[in-house]
């Protein structure tokens, strides 16, 4: 590991992935400058072919600059591919707790950016949403996946979005099947207990605003405001 990488402020550094082969350091630097002052940029390359490996690390002047850049640059398309931006210091494996949703009935107009914009309203996402596509044509297969970093967020997304219309089509939102399982879905009690233990030991997560959904969740509605003075 080079000295420059060792001295990099990881908390002010973003991991940027899903980069097209045509993206180089200069282009990515110029793009990220639109979000904030860039201190350094490292794009790992294959030693034999000298082509980059589809991701880069971008260090900003401060943690606030990096957080702002992540918010506005994540899912921005370069050469038709949405780039993925996340905190470089974040352990992506610990984020995958099993709060993974299957989104069905998608219109051809729905892409990863629209899924991100729609579902990130319910909480922090553990990974970039994925629309499954035909390998030859690139056309959507009509379904995709969204992973949250808490079951509170995924439960709320199911409650609010299942059978709602997205691009004029009702979508199905439910927990995805586990890989290599006999029809078992995510969201079970064992996963929830493990997730609760992780969250108790880790930092606080983003809590979505649910005030206006309180009545729908069986809670008493907020009291009516007092009448205006006569």
């Amino acid at each position: 590991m080079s000295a420059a990488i060792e001295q990099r402020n990881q908390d002010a550094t973003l991991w940027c992935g899903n980069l097209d082969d045509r993206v180089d350091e200069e282009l990515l630097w110029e793009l990220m400058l639109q979000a904030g002052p860039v201190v350094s940029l490292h794009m790992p390359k294959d030693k034999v072919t000298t082509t980059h490996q589809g991701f880069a690390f971008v260090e900003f002047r401060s943690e606030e600059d990096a957080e702002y850049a992540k918010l506005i640059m994540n899912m921005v398309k370069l050469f038709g591919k949405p780039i993925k931006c996340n905190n470089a210091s974040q352990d992506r494996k610990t984020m995958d707790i099993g709060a993974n949703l299957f989104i069905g009935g998608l219109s051809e107009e729905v892409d990863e950016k629209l899924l991100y914009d729609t579902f990130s309203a319910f909480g922090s996402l553990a990974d970039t949403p994925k629309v499954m596509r035909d390998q030859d044509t690139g056309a959507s297969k009509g379904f995709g996946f969204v992973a949250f970093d808490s079951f509170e967020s995924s439960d709320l997304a199911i409650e609010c979005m299942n059978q709602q219309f997205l691009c004029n089509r009702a979508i199905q939102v439910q927990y995805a099947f586990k890989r290599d399982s006999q029809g078992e879905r995510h969201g079970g009690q064992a996963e929830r207990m493990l997730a609760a233990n992780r969250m108790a030991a880790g930092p606080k997560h983003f809590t979505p605003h649910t005030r206006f959904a309180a009545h729908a969740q069986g809670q008493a509605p907020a009291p009516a405001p007092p009448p205006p003075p006569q």
Side-chain angles (χ1 to χ4, degrees):
M1 183 178 290
S2 68
I5 295 177
E6 289 179 349
Q7 296 172 7
R8 187 170 61 203
N9 181 0
Q10 284 292 95
D11 293 330
T13 301
L14 294 184
W15 174 89
C16 300
N18 200 37
L19 300 178
D20 187 89
D21 292 340
R22 291 168 284 184
V23 177
D24 58 16
E25 286 105 331
E26 183 179 359
L27 176 59
L28 190 59
W29 183 291
E30 290 296 328
L31 176 66
M32 292 298 165
L33 271 181
Q34 308 308 310
V38 176
V39 174
S40 67
L41 189 151
H42 174 60
M43 184 177 287
K45 296 182 178 180
D46 186 278
K47 293 182 179 180
V48 177
T49 65
T50 69
T51 58
H52 69 72
Q53 301 177 28
F55 65 93
F57 296 95
V58 183
E59 181 186 1
F60 289 86
R61 184 173 59 188
S62 68
E63 296 176 30
E64 291 76 17
D65 293 329
E67 189 66 24
Y68 178 72
K70 181 179 72 173
L71 290 174
I72 65 171
M73 290 299 179
N74 191 40
M75 303 304 292
V76 167
K77 289 186 177 181
L78 278 179
F79 298 105
K81 295 178 63 175
I83 62 175
K84 305 175 183 179
C85 297
N86 216 328
N87 299 95
S89 59
Q90 202 164 37
D91 186 349
R92 300 174 69 84
K93 291 184 178 180
T94 61
M95 294 177 66
D96 186 7
I97 60 172
N100 304 331
L101 302 184
F102 168 85
I103 318 295
L106 296 179
S107 164
E108 293 182 357
E109 304 170 37
V110 177
D111 59 8
E112 289 82 355
K113 179 68 164 62
L114 182 54
L115 282 184
Y116 177 87
D117 291 341
T118 301
F119 284 91
S120 61
F122 302 104
S124 298
L125 301 185
D127 204 350
T128 304
K130 186 169 186 177
V131 175
M132 304 308 295
R133 302 181 180 278
D134 183 277
Q135 292 185 349
D136 297 324
T137 66
S140 169
K141 292 184 177 181
F143 66 95
F145 298 93
V146 175
F148 287 93
D149 68 353
S150 75
F151 283 105
E152 178 188 14
S153 299
S154 56
D155 288 342
L156 186 62
I158 292 174
E159 178 183 349
C160 295
M161 292 302 299
N162 189 39
Q163 297 302 319
Q164 295 299 313
F165 282 82
L166 191 62
C167 291
N168 298 318
R169 289 184 62 175
I171 62 174
Q172 297 82 50
V173 183
Q174 57 188 316
Y175 280 104
F177 286 111
K178 294 182 179 180
R179 292 183 180 179
D180 304 322
S181 68
Q182 299 298 323
E184 183 183 0
R185 293 185 183 273
H186 285 289
Q189 191 62 31
E191 283 185 328
R192 291 173 182 270
M193 291 178 64
L194 289 173
N197 292 337
R198 287 184 183 180
M199 292 183 68
K204 293 184 178 180
H205 291 253
F206 166 78
T207 301
H209 182 65
T210 59
R211 176 181 177 184
F212 299 108
H215 187 51
Q217 296 173 1
Q219 302 176 12
Q230 300 293 331

